[in-house]
């Protein structure tokens, strides 16, 4: 049971049950309701195993049919992220496979009055003089009257009379402060003018969401269109899960359920599948939301075979326009998965990334897709990580300084930059099958259906290997080759410091050299044309297979890797944490969006999503 009015103290955190807050050093940390309830359940039983079934009963009513395993995995991940805990090397919450979870370390229950006293004591510390001396609290006389404290005595040895240089320093300090104040005012006015010049996009311009932007959204609830009113409870379930999914990655600020409920009461708003413009304006004034999500659901049949249909609408509160309308339908037991799918599509429409993996100081340089699972090259940790669907903890396998990866239909190949080798792993098991020598400082890697090709960045060569790891040939190319791509007949390579790309036959013969922009890096084939990312020119170039220039398209700052998803080319803006989405058929920029991380380097597509390795922030994002 929860202990109202008490606070848990553990690991330097305070967990306030009554306020529903997780705090550290007096600062409130972001944690949604379901992860918070998981935390409370664990803290109530310190040192004991809390089973997944225990948590299911706590989070979802007995008559709620949902994919609770996936929902619980998401709640645990969010909780670990808030605590900065690592599932593989836990400090706070230990996973016991097949059993449940357990809190590590000591947990103290502190009455709420004590936490208030601590807060007051902290406030008192803030008033303490900088020299460390304590401020005397006025003493009480026996009759209850207070007596002023004695005046502090000043020693003749320590008392200082301001000297002329001291006065001069004081005058100079005041003058400097005035100059800084004037400069700040002038800078503020200049900033306002600069900001105003970027406020209104020109007609026909593409959407660009600043990496620093954090729009807010309110999930207003869902109208029950079912014949039985017993299904009303699903509105809260849908709203809470959708809010969690929309908040993933911290790129979208969700309005709390409490504030939404208060606003609906203040404005007398019923559950509805959409709202009129004047109502949206009132919602904006009350909640400050930029967008709202509303909708309806309909349940048919009897459990456990019941089915549900969910309709969602995303509305812009300022314009009153409906930006997105979408539907999901399926078994009621899959409701959470249906909601998550809808949330992912809404995020995509808003150009928002979802962080799917995060580990500090790993320097993920690339990702690869093996048809079922996502692989991450964690360069700084000398490992590759396999993210398995519906598995909370990723799998990791030792590989020395992995950089780029390729999939040959059965194996993952990774270039090892610091050892001049490539590593071959069995995709299903992750077992290392061999380590094979190539050229100096291998970078990019590609598979042509028969052989593996490696760009040796410091050797100015490319190596051709058979799938057994045997070296078939080494071929001289331009200066500092980086990326390789197979177009169905030829191998293309970017030469970073020659400012060109080369087309090679499968026998290694150079068939063409084509000048491009400054420091070409990424390379991708869209089925018809070749695309090149020029990192110092801040653009990508579209070339025919004869090397003729088709288009030059501006991107984010420092484009590195390129990905083609079947319709769009995505360019990773390494310097500004962005991706630029380009319609391949027309070479028109659809938008430039934040990845939710920093230093996006290389990416991959599974045919539905684009995955981005953010090397500087140690994250992988799904766009």
């Amino acid at each position: 049971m929860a202990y109202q009015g008490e606070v848990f103290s553990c690991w330097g955190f305070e967990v306030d049950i009554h306020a529903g807050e997780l705090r550290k050093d007096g600062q409130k940390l972001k944690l949604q309701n379901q992860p918070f309830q998981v935390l409370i359940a664990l803290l109530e039983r310190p040192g004991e195993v809390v089973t997944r079934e225990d948590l299911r009963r706590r989070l979802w009513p007995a008559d709620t049919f949902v994919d609770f395993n996936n929902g619980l995995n998401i709640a645990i991940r969010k909780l670990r992220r808030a605590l900065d805990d690592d599932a593989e090397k836990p400090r706070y919450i230990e996973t016991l496979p097949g059993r449940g979870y357990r809190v590590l370390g000591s947990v103290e229950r502190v009455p709420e009055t004590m936490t208030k006293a601590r807060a007051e004591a902290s406030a008192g510390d803030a008033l303490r003089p900088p020299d460390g001396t304590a401020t005397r609290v006025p003493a009480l006389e026996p009759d209850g009257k207070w007596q002023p404290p004695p005046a502090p005595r000043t020693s003749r040895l320590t008392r200082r009379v301001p000297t002329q240089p001291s006065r001069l320093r004081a005058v100079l300090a005041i003058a400097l402060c005035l100059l800084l104040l004037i400069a700040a005012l002038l800078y503020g006015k200049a900033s306002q003018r600069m900001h105003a010049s970027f406020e209104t996009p020109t007609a026909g311009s593409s959407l660009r969401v600043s990496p620093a932007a954090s729009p807010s959204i309110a999930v207003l609830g869902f109208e029950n269109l079912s014949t039985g009113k017993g299904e009303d409870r699903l509105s809260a379930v849908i709203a809470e899960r959708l809010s969690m999914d929309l908040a993933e990655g911290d790129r979208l600020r969700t309005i709390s359920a409490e504030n939404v409920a208060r606003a609906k009461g203040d404005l007398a708003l019923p559950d509805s599948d959409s709202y009129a413009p004047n109502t949206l304006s009132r919602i904006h004034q009350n909640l400050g939301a930029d967008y709202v999500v509303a909708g309806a659901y309909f349940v048919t049949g009897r459990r456990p075979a019941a089915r549900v249909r969910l309709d969602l609408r995303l509305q812009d509160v300022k314009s009153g326009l409906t930006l997105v309308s979408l539907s999901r339908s399926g078994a009621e037991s899959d409701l959470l998965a249906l909601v998550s799918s809808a949330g992912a599509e809404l995020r995509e429409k808003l150009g928002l990334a979802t962080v799917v993996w995060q580990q500090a100081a790993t320097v993920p340089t690339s990702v690869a897709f093996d048809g079922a699972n996502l692989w991450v090259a964690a360069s700084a940790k000398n490992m590759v990580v396999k993210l398995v669907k519906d598995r909370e903890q990723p799998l990791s396998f030792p590989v020395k300084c992995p950089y780029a990866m390729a999939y040959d239909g059965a194996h993952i190949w990774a270039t090892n930059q610091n050892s001049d080798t490539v590593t071959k792993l069995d995709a299903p098991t992750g077992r290392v099958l061999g380590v094979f020598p190539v050229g100096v400082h291998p970078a990019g890697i590609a598979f042509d259906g028969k052989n593996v090709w490696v760009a040796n960045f410091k050797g100015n060569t490319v190596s051709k290997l058979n799938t057994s790891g045997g070296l078939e040939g080494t071929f001289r190319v331009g200066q500092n080759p980086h990326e390789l791509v197979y177009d169905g007949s030829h191998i293309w390579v970017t030469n970073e410091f020659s400012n060109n790309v080369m087309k090679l036959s499968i026998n290694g013969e150079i068939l063409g050299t084509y000048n491009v922009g400054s420091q070409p890096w990424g390379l991708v084939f869209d089925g018809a044309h070749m695309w090149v990312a020029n990192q110092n020119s801040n653009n990508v170039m579209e070339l025919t297979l004869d090397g003729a220039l088709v288009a030059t398209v501006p991107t984010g700052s420092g484009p590195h890797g390129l990905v083609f998803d079947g319709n769009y080319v995505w360019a990773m803006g390494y310097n500004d944490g962005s991706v630029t989405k380009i319609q391949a058929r027309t070479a028109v920029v659809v938008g430039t969006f934040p990845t939710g991380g920093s230093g996006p380097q290389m990416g991959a597509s599974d045919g539905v999503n684009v995955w981005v390795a953010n090397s500087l922030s140690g994250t992988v994002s799904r766009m």
Side-chain angles (χ1 to χ4, degrees):
M1 59 175 290
Y3 292 79
Q4 286 285 357
E6 286 192 342
V7 175
F8 288 108
S9 178
C10 51
W11 320 310
F13 296 89
E14 284 188 345
V15 183
D16 189 326
I17 299 173
H18 181 68
E21 294 180 352
L22 172 66
R23 298 189 293 263
K24 186 168 186 178
D25 298 327
Q27 298 295 315
K28 181 180 176 181
L29 303 180
K30 182 177 180 180
L31 188 63
Q32 291 162 321
N33 183 56
Q34 283 191 346
F36 186 80
Q37 291 302 322
V38 170
L39 178 58
I40 295 299
L42 296 173
L43 294 179
E44 288 173 356
R45 295 163 58 183
E48 299 180 25
V49 177
V50 179
T51 68
R52 291 176 66 86
E53 180 61 23
D54 291 337
L55 295 173
R56 185 198 68 79
R57 288 194 296 266
R58 185 179 187 112
L59 296 180
W60 293 283
D63 59 347
T64 300
F65 291 83
V66 296
D67 179 10
F68 88 90
N69 281 312
N70 187 40
L72 182 56
N73 289 342
I74 291 175
I76 291 289
R77 283 200 299 269
K78 287 180 176 290
L79 175 56
R80 283 202 168 106
R81 184 180 302 167
L83 297 174
D84 193 22
D85 199 16
D86 187 340
E88 294 186 353
K89 297 178 181 178
R91 294 175 294 164
Y92 310 135
I93 298 174
E94 178 186 15
T95 299
L96 301 168
R99 298 175 63 192
Y101 306 91
R102 177 169 55 198
V103 164
L104 302 177
S106 61
V107 177
E108 178 187 3
R109 281 198 181 100
V110 183
E112 194 175 26
T113 53
M114 288 185 62
T115 63
K116 291 179 179 177
R118 288 179 183 175
E120 291 169 359
S122 299
D125 288 341
L127 297 174
R128 189 180 299 275
D131 62 2
T133 59
T135 302
R136 275 183 75 95
V137 178
L140 289 177
E141 290 293 314
D143 59 1
K145 297 180 180 179
W146 67 272
Q147 178 181 350
R153 291 180 297 175
T154 306
S155 167
R156 291 188 178 185
L157 296 176
T158 60
R159 184 175 58 195
R160 296 183 58 188
V161 178
T163 61
Q164 191 68 25
S166 298
R167 293 193 186 97
L168 179 60
R169 282 195 296 269
V171 171
L172 289 174
I174 293 171
L176 179 60
C177 290
L178 289 172
L179 287 173
L180 290 174
L181 179 60
I182 293 169
L185 290 172
L186 291 174
Y187 176 77
K189 291 181 179 293
S191 298
Q192 290 175 357
R193 289 194 298 271
M194 186 181 297
H195 177 72
S197 67
F198 286 95
E199 278 186 335
T200 307
T202 57
S205 64
S206 61
L207 173 64
R208 181 177 180 90
V209 179
S210 166
S214 183
S216 60
I217 191 166
V219 179
L220 297 181
F222 301 88
E223 185 178 5
N224 175 23
L225 301 180
S226 311
T227 55
K229 293 304 178 183
E231 312 299 343
D232 286 348
R233 59 186 170 74
L234 290 182
S235 178
V237 173
I238 296 169
E240 182 171 10
R241 179 54 183 268
L242 185 61
S243 294
M244 288 178 61
D245 291 327
L246 292 174
E248 186 75 31
D250 296 330
R251 302 305 305 172
L252 190 64
R253 183 167 52 88
T254 54
I255 307 297
S256 70
E258 292 82 1
N259 286 340
V260 168
R262 175 190 53 74
K264 290 177 73 173
D266 292 345
L267 303 175
L269 294 177
D271 284 336
S272 176
D273 61 352
S274 64
Y275 293 93
N278 60 335
T279 302
L280 291 172
S281 178
R282 293 164 56 214
I283 292 172
H284 176 65
Q285 293 174 3
N286 191 293
L287 288 174
D290 299 301
Y291 306 100
V292 300
V293 178
Y297 61 94
F298 182 74
V299 179
T300 59
R302 295 185 177 181
R303 297 187 181 95
R307 296 186 63 79
V308 62
R309 175 188 169 93
L310 177 64
D311 296 313
L312 301 180
R313 283 186 176 85
L314 174 69
Q315 294 183 278
D316 186 324
V317 298
K318 295 179 182 177
S319 68
L321 297 176
T322 296
L323 303 179
V324 182
S325 294
L326 55 90
S327 297
R328 293 291 187 274
S329 60
E332 188 189 21
S333 58
D334 295 330
L335 178 61
L336 293 185
L338 297 175
V339 175
S340 291
S341 171
E345 184 171 343
L346 290 176
R347 290 179 60 84
E348 179 185 354
K349 298 296 184 183
L350 289 169
L352 298 169
T354 298
V355 175
V356 297
W357 180 81
Q358 181 171 8
Q359 189 172 343
T362 51
V363 190
T365 52
S366 65
V367 289
F369 188 66
D370 68 5
N373 307 294
L374 190 71
W375 293 73
V376 182
S379 180
K381 293 294 185 180
N382 293 318
M383 66 182 183
V384 293
V385 177
K386 182 179 180 181
L387 306 182
V388 182
K389 185 179 179 181
D390 296 330
R391 179 186 173 93
E392 181 195 342
Q393 295 184 9
L395 304 172
S396 59
F397 309 99
V399 173
K400 189 173 182 181
C401 194
Y403 182 70
M405 296 183 293
Y407 177 62
D408 69 5
H411 312 98
I412 291 290
W413 294 76
T415 54
N416 314 124
Q417 279 202 323
N418 292 346
S419 59
D420 302 339
T421 58
V422 294
T423 299
K424 176 183 176 182
L425 297 93
D426 179 57
T429 65
R431 183 166 60 94
V432 174
L433 301 178
V435 179
F436 310 105
V438 286
V440 182
H441 206 76
I445 188 167
F447 180 62
D448 68 4
K450 183 179 178 182
N451 297 291
V452 175
W453 294 76
V454 179
N456 302 304
F457 184 76
K458 293 185 178 179
N460 298 333
T461 61
V462 294
S463 298
K464 177 183 177 182
L465 292 78
N466 58 41
T467 53
S468 297
L471 185 63
E472 298 282 327
T474 300
F475 312 102
R476 177 71 57 177
V477 288
Q479 188 175 0
N480 300 107
H482 196 278
E483 286 294 287
L484 292 166
V485 165
Y486 178 60
D487 69 3
S489 301
H490 313 97
I491 293 293
W492 292 68
V493 58
T494 53
N495 298 306
E496 188 171 346
F497 290 101
S498 299
N499 295 334
N500 60 38
V501 295
M502 286 181 172
K503 181 171 71 173
L504 286 70
S505 72
I506 57 173
N507 295 319
E509 177 188 2
I510 296 175
L511 302 178
T513 301
Y514 313 109
N515 292 329
V516 287
S518 177
Q519 287 191 234
W521 208 95
L523 195 63
V524 75
F525 179 56
D526 70 2
H529 293 156
M530 194 64 60
W531 295 74
V532 183
N534 303 302
Q535 60 175 323
N536 276 4
S537 302
N538 295 331
N539 61 36
V540 296
M541 288 180 171
E542 180 185 5
L543 308 176
T544 68
L545 296 186
D546 293 325
L549 179 65
V550 177
T552 300
V553 183
T555 65
S557 179
H560 274 44
L562 295 175
V563 175
F564 179 63
D565 68 2
N567 293 297
Y568 302 96
V569 172
W570 298 72
M572 316 295 145
Y574 182 87
N575 295 338
D576 61 6
S578 71
V579 289
T580 300
K581 183 179 179 181
I582 306 164
Q583 170 60 254
R585 183 173 54 84
T586 62
V588 172
V589 175
V590 176
T592 299
F593 310 108
T595 66
S598 56
Q601 193 151 330
M602 287 186 265
S605 174
D606 60 9
V608 178
N609 301 295
V610 170
W611 311 82
V612 180
N614 300 300
S615 58
L616 299 183
S617 58
T619 58
V620 173
S621 300
R622 181 181 70 235
M623 303 302 299

